Amino acid sequence: MSSNFGERLKISIFGQSHSDAIGVNIDGLPVGEYIDLEQVQAFLQRRAPGQNAYSTTRTEADVPKVLSGLWQDRTCGAPLCAMIENTDTRSKDYSNLRKMPRPGHADYTAAVKYQGFQDYRGGGHFSGRLTAPLCFAGAVCMQILERKGITIGAHIAAIKQCQDTSWDTVNITAQMLQDVTKKTFPTIDDKAGEQMQAVIAQAKAEQNSVGGIIEAVAVGLPVGLGEPMFDGIESKVAALLYAIPAVKGVEFGAGFAAATMMGSMHNDDFYYDAAGNIKTKTNHHGGSLGGISSGMPLVVRAAFKPTPSISQEQQTIGWETKRNETLRIVGRHDPCIVPRAVPCVEAAIAIALLDLYLLQYRG
Amino acid sequence: MSSNFGERLKISIFGQSHSDAIGVNIDGLPVGEYIDLEQVQAFLQRRAPGQNAYSTTRTEADVPKVLSGLWQDRTCGAPLCAMIENTDTRSKDYSNLRKMPRPGHADYTAAVKYQGFQDYRGGGHFSGRLTAPLCFAGAVCMQILERKGITIGAHIAAIKQCQDTSWDTVNITAQMLQDVTKKTFPTIDDKAGEQMQAVIAQAKAEQNSVGGIIEAVAVGLPVGLGEPMFDGIESKVAALLYAIPAVKGVEFGAGFAAATMMGSMHNDDFYYDAAGNIKTKTNHHGGSLGGISSGMPLVVRAAFKPTPSISQEQQTIGWETKRNETLRIVGRHDPCIVPRAVPCVEAAIAIALLDLYLLQYRG
Amino acid sequence: MSSNFGERLKISIFGQSHSDAIGVNIDGLPVGEYIDLEQVQAFLQRRAPGQNAYSTTRTEADVPKVLSGLWQDRTCGAPLCAMIENTDTRSKDYSNLRKMPRPGHADYTAAVKYQGFQDYRGGGHFSGRLTAPLCFAGAVCMQILERKGITIGAHIAAIKQCQDTSWDTVNITAQMLQDVTKKTFPTIDDKAGEQMQAVIAQAKAEQNSVGGIIEAVAVGLPVGLGEPMFDGIESKVAALLYAIPAVKGVEFGAGFAAATMMGSMHNDDFYYDAAGNIKTKTNHHGGSLGGISSGMPLVVRAAFKPTPSISQEQQTIGWETKRNETLRIVGRHDPCIVPRAVPCVEAAIAIALLDLYLLQYRG
Amino acid sequence: MSSNFGERLKISIFGQSHSDAIGVNIDGLPVGEYIDLEQVQAFLQRRAPGQNAYSTTRTEADVPKVLSGLWQDRTCGAPLCAMIENTDTRSKDYSNLRKMPRPGHADYTAAVKYQGFQDYRGGGHFSGRLTAPLCFAGAVCMQILERKGITIGAHIAAIKQCQDTSWDTVNITAQMLQDVTKKTFPTIDDKAGEQMQAVIAQAKAEQNSVGGIIEAVAVGLPVGLGEPMFDGIESKVAALLYAIPAVKGVEFGAGFAAATMMGSMHNDDFYYDAAGNIKTKTNHHGGSLGGISSGMPLVVRAAFKPTPSISQEQQTIGWETKRNETLRIVGRHDPCIVPRAVPCVEAAIAIALLDLYLLQYRG
């Protein structure tokens, strides 16, 4: 496994869906930083199941317990370790997993990689639950970044073909981000949000699932974050986003659309604004030039495939029967994980940005 | 900078566009591997400028000189270091760079990050030339992977809106890949290739530039490569692809299209083929499940923005004048770097896959 | 902090002396390895305080709780995280620490490094308690190494000037190691052991402390472990040994004595033994040549300074008074930590060797 | 191999004794640092063979050529790569190596580890020549550290049993260090130096070799360098010192002697000096408490075994004959490498300290 990430900031994530606990150990945080654990708890709530009718009915307290690393509510230089106990598990839901790998899941690949020794219950270390410790780490990083003037926010840009409106990624402000992230179903346009929820409900009724796209923006970045060539902003952020289950594509700025543009259109002209700051008139580059932050908003989009666990009948193989088999997944499953993944995307970006921030400002 | 990459395989790239030499140091290669340097040279030729009418007219020998690491043509356990001398440079082309950052380039961000001490000539360490050592390393990795039955190939999937046909990513073979990569302008459909070249010529005539998409496939992967959660195949490959200048998006399998699909459609059913191997009927997952290779072809697409250096007049700022200025870039510039980037994409994937291969097969 | 170690094996240690818990997260263990937690518990007991009259009277259960990473008693590929709760703490013992740094401790250096935000209670993250998670990790590694034929054992080579007899480091066997490590006070010669305990008792009576030397041996190593130049066996093992508090010197084979020998004496001649194995007649090289294991027993010695916490009056500075002050440390303190450090030394070596073992046997 | 080192500073060393060139790639240096290449050259001269009658008669220009990373004599943010060509090699000296491993060398272990594919000529990547690129990197780091007020110097503390006098490691100054390092044979006491040279000459006459001890001191360190628990100063410095061939022991402060002292003696009392700085009255701790620098001089000693290559007859095995054989090494060999290793020790410490310095002073 490589549940370890980072250069200046080291993140180690542990836990399986049905182990005693899941958690994260964070080493390298700047000292003396006040961490508001209630705010962290609130951030985790945004991903917790049982929140709304469109998520699974599995309920977990998801209350993190800090084991070390804080002294009088501030980072004390020692690693910050937080643990979340797994309290609501229904093992019998997963009895089929021993016999047949679920299409679209890591059951098959993990079984081969770990030679049958993997903890298959609930997807083991590949379960979406492991985004909880990722979110804990991200929430801590976000608090520290906020104090440095950096704000991260995300909205659901699309569910299936249903699209939200866009932000003005040249002039977007922290306030505009917060206006959206505070919503239970975070879209810029509420009407689009309602349509998306209808699409998700429809999928649930059909025992099917849908995917979507999350777009995130970070404002207030200083110029100069990113360590080319292999740890540029895009490399760092993408590596972390792909750690979130179901991500199949990551793009920055104009992204894949840039491939269809002429240079004269895609290039963002530089200019001095009234205060003498250097900005660009447009932001097709999405805040990163040569892998280094330009000071313009960082714009990134992550594409999520539809949730693999659907109740419809599927075709797979039998491990022991050695025959092709039919599988019907029962139990509690999200028809769409995108709404719950929004804080995960913000968390991933926060971890990458803090690591790069700590790398840039050195002796 | 972080010009260092890898876990089991360590790649260090050095050089600037106008330094004495550029090169790469590779540590961790398996011992006793025969390296065909002529084949490496041929691979580098695919990216060398001056090859065809659509590239820049800057010509470099681009002949790598191996300084260490091979003994009697085989990897000897010591690091493999190769150097390429920069022989054809015209410094005067870049005299404006001291005065004004070019839109779309790293001039601005590097100047701020490195406090004005960066080597700005030709883009310094951010120059596309630094893909030459990346390609050297990739070519070496590809030879080693080939012997393990793994073949990587790529085609130009699109230039602007002009698209190539697709591969059958379920049944694609090494031969099908090689049939395309051996072409000077690597497209599956030759007609599409001609149209693309016309689009590029048109852009050149207009003193403009275009971008495109490269799609790569790796066949013959064993099941089990990838180290979740942070070093899954997608994380590793994406991190390396974003090290190639101009990449703004990376997607796997169905990619962003997966966001528009239902689960019943996107899920790839498992089955036993006639020989008893486990395969999937479709390949929307693009060869990676849970960040681990499934044995199906790995499918990845990288989006390239249009080349920033265009001859048309652009708007930027003057470093010393502190006023908004007009810039006209002279010199030799590619109207489209996508054809030259094809081997770079293959190289990036090869490095990531060999690192993961060496991680998986351990004591 | 860098509480993270390892290349193939990643160890993250968390916790402070008085935080809720201490623990370790281990990533990269081979899958399917059966871990006998009772044996691990027994190993930890060897370092647990309250064991004998010569240790502190602080008693801790020191029972590790595995949070993740084992499934049906075997490593399952996901990170193995274990936690030990801190249950017996007497904070009031350390009230002076806020006012005056203790000579020989990290109070001063940590206060400056962490700008006063460090958790000073009981020495925080610098407490000897943090060797408990190190020992947990080491015990797990030792079980895995045992199955590969590698046995590690250590004895107390000296307390102050009182010396144990020596092992025959050419012909030493696993049995000879185990005969010593099973003793409560692990010396080869029991009489020497009694003398040492008398020296320790004397120091305690004088409100003073003593140091000592621990010698460890690993037998059954294959030839070829170690990754020169920077991750040779000596580099790896030394780096880990210096993570144990109070270590001030590490030497291999003849060590510092090698500096006084002629080459004709120090060189170990090679020969074929009766079974055709390559061995050396003597073992001044201590099992490592060029940073790579030779197959001969690995021999290493670590020197421990006397415990800094003594009850005698000492001179130090007052943080707030800004004057020179007198300090009298009360509370429970070991007059000698060497007996408790024996398993820590074995643990450190086990972690280093398993990491190198996993690096050597790759694809 | 792991010829890569460092966290913030990344050092990659390449080359074998008889490859085309050897060199080093350094990534992560602070930008804008002026590097005096003549001073670097002078530093390398201190290790170059052919300097005096006590070294080998192999002569190499040892002139490093900077390939990248400097722009107008300053570090420009891109990796600094330097290469030294191997020009004076006499291959026929090493023809025996194919047949018989030399006692005390890495021939045997490397042959097994690298399955016979290693470059055995002159010891390959294990040759003492590879200390040249290490010294280049160290010299660069030393210049940068000097500007931060940190000076490193070393003397030959002992050759065989012949000892130099000691420095006052409490009050030692940069000037005192420089007074010794500028000598051709760097000892504090010149008479002791002459005796040592006589011992070396005697060994040469006997076709034998001797070892010794080098003691190094670093003054001007700020308080707070070192990242416990695994990257404390001792761990970092020791790991790098063991990368120098022939090092078999490393100790800090009182080192192994600390094991014989009482706590009341070994503890160094803190006090405020006249200027209000916090110092210790004695320096048994050698400048490191809890793995973090205390501001007092860092004191470290490295023990070197006697050079393995002696002309006397030795016993070894025949690879192909499968019999025990007699070996007589001809060619040019140092009777004692300690004098040439002095700059290597300084270099190793400089690299470790700069890495830690860059880690401490972050955002």
Side-chain angles (χ1 to χ4, degrees), chain A residues 7-8 10 27-31 148 227-228 357-363, chain D residues 7-8 10 27-31 148 227-228 357-363:
Chain A
E7 299 260 340
R8 195 65 205 88
K10 312 255 186 176
D27 197 9
L29 289 170
V31 292
K148 302 182 188 302
E227 301 291 326
Y357 191 98
L358 296 175
L359 281 171
Q360 172 61 6
Y361 294 97
R362 65 206 195 291
Chain D
E7 301 259 341
R8 196 65 206 91
K10 311 257 185 171
D27 195 8
L29 289 170
V31 292
K148 300 182 190 304
E227 300 291 326
Y357 191 98
L358 296 175
L359 281 171
Q360 173 63 6
Y361 294 96
R362 65 204 196 291

Side-chain angles (χ1 to χ4, degrees), chain D residues 146 149-152 171-179 181 219:
Chain D
E146 276 284 349
I150 299 168
T151 302
I152 300 163
N171 300 304
I172 185 169
T173 63
Q175 186 61 56
M176 289 160 68
L177 290 173
Q178 288 153 1
D179 286 344
T181 56
V219 297

Side-chain angles (χ1 to χ4, degrees), chain C residues 22 168 176 191 213 238 253 326 347:
Chain C
I22 61 180
D168 168 0
M176 290 161 66
K191 233 182 159 114
I213 297 175
T326 296

Side-chain angles (χ1 to χ4, degrees), chain A residues 150-306:
Chain A
I150 299 168
T151 302
I152 300 164
H155 73 116
I156 303 173
I159 295 288
K160 210 158 176 285
Q161 279 93 355
C162 187
Q163 296 184 11
D164 193 8
T165 53
S166 306
W167 275 314
D168 167 359
T169 59
V170 174
N171 300 304
I172 185 169
T173 63
Q175 186 61 55
M176 289 161 67
L177 289 174
Q178 288 152 1
D179 285 345
V180 172
T181 56
K182 70 185 188 220
K183 300 183 188 179
T184 307
F185 197 87
T187 53
I188 301 166
D189 181 64
D190 293 333
K191 229 177 164 129
E194 290 165 22
Q195 285 168 353
M196 289 179 189
Q197 291 175 81
V199 168
I200 297 173
Q202 178 65 23
K204 185 168 185 175
E206 293 172 7
Q207 293 180 318
N208 213 331
S209 65
V210 285
I213 297 175
I214 292 173
E215 178 179 61
V217 175
V219 296
L221 290 182
V223 183
L225 300 194
E227 301 291 326
M229 87 192 29
F230 293 117
D231 283 308
I233 279 196
E234 284 119 330
S235 289
K236 275 267 170 177
V237 168
L240 267 166
L241 285 173
Y242 279 113
I244 303 171
V247 172
K248 296 306 283 190
V250 173
E251 60 178 17
F252 296 82
F256 275 83
T260 66
M261 299 168 71
M262 304 291 288
S264 55
M265 165 67 82
H266 185 271
N267 276 5
D268 302 312
D269 286 336
F270 290 105
Y271 74 102
Y272 282 110
D273 72 2
N277 299 310
I278 297 171
K279 294 198 162 153
T280 59
K281 296 177 187 172
T282 45
N283 190 13
H284 299 113
H285 71 284
S288 168
L289 285 170
I292 301 173
S293 62
S294 65
M296 294 299 289
L298 179 75
V299 182
V300 53
R301 276 176 300 283
F304 287 79
K305 70 182 189 183

Side-chain angles (χ1 to χ4, degrees), chain A residues 1-4 8 10-16 19-22 25 27-28 31-33 65-72 74-81 83 85 113-121 125, chain C residues 1-4 8 10-16 19-22 25 27-28 31-33 65-72 74-81 83 85 113-121 125:
Chain A
M1 284 258 156
S2 182
S3 306
N4 284 269
R8 195 65 205 88
K10 312 255 186 176
I11 309 279
S12 300
I13 287 188
F14 61 86
Q16 301 106 254
S19 62
D20 281 12
I22 60 180
N25 191 32
D27 197 9
V31 292
E33 293 282 349
K65 179 180 171 177
V66 172
L67 302 179
S68 69
L70 294 183
W71 169 233
Q72 298 179 331
R74 288 178 180 271
T75 53
C76 67
L80 198 167
C81 186
M83 170 185 103
E85 291 190 45
K113 182 177 181 72
Y114 301 114
Q115 301 161 45
F117 291 112
Q118 79 288 358
D119 178 355
Y120 57 83
R121 302 170 298 164
H125 193 62
Chain C
M1 285 258 158
S2 183
S3 306
N4 284 269
R8 194 64 204 94
K10 312 255 183 170
I11 309 278
S12 301
I13 287 187
F14 60 87
Q16 300 107 255
S19 61
D20 280 13
I22 61 180
N25 191 32
D27 196 7
V31 291
E33 294 281 348
K65 179 178 174 181
V66 173
L67 301 179
S68 68
L70 294 182
W71 170 233
Q72 297 178 329
R74 289 179 179 266
T75 53
C76 68
L80 198 167
C81 186
M83 171 185 100
E85 289 187 46
K113 183 177 180 75
Y114 300 114
Q115 303 162 46
F117 290 112
Q118 79 290 359
D119 179 356
Y120 58 82
R121 302 169 299 166
H125 194 62

